Amino acid sequence: MEKLIQAVFKEVIENKNYDESLINKYFSEDYTQDVDGVTLDFNSFKNHIRKLKEKVVEQKVVFENIISDEDCLITKHYVTSILQNEEVVKHKVFAEFKFKNDKIVHCDELTFLLEGDSSEKKLGSEV
């Protein structure tokens, strides 16, 4: 699962382009995400990623910790985003991923803005 989650972040998040086929590859159609008190279904999540790609020029993810068992993986990671306006935004993220049939079915995530304008706390979540 660790290699799978690293591939997700590299291919979906760090990828400069929106590629729905990659989302479909890694995420279940039943996928839900709870992020900072907001729940996204699969279509809302895809829209969130699409909005990110419109707003962000580049994203880099650095994992500090990854802990897993047979169907759950927890990460502490940092995301640095460079926006279209050249602003740099950094978030610290804690995320718990649940898996079923080798796809992500749920993510429970907390994000903390480390650097950047406070309006970017929920970067890309204007769904």
Side-chain angles (χ1 to χ4, degrees), residues 37-75:
V38 176
T39 300
L40 305 175
D41 64 12
F42 186 55
N43 288 325
S44 297
F45 172 72
K46 289 191 287 188
N47 194 39
H48 163 67
I49 298 299
R50 189 179 293 111
K51 295 267 187 200
L52 274 176
K53 301 307 175 188
E54 292 170 2
K55 192 170 191 173
V56 174
V57 174
E58 184 177 337
Q59 285 190 300
K60 179 69 177 156
V61 179
V62 176
F63 292 96
E64 185 169 309
N65 290 308
I66 299 177
I67 302 166
S68 66
D69 66 15
E70 59 222 30
D71 67 348
C72 178
L73 182 139
I74 298 171
T75 66

Side-chain angles (χ1 to χ4, degrees), residues 93-120:
V93 182
F94 293 91
E96 176 189 53
F97 298 93
K98 300 278 183 156
F99 296 83
K100 185 175 181 183
N101 300 323
D102 296 322
K103 288 196 173 191
I104 303 168
V105 293
H106 183 73
C107 176
D108 188 1
E109 177 181 308
L110 295 173
T111 60
F112 181 76
L113 181 65
L114 295 172
E115 182 181 317
D117 190 276
S118 62
S119 66
E120 302 302 346

Side-chain angles (χ1 to χ4, degrees), residues 12-33:
V12 176
I13 302 301
E14 292 184 342
N15 186 345
K16 292 181 182 185
N17 301 306
Y18 177 79
D19 187 339
E20 193 166 326
S21 68
L22 290 171
I23 295 171
N24 294 332
K25 175 182 176 181
Y26 292 112
F27 295 86
S28 167
E29 290 182 9
D30 298 326
Y31 178 75
T32 58
Q33 179 171 325

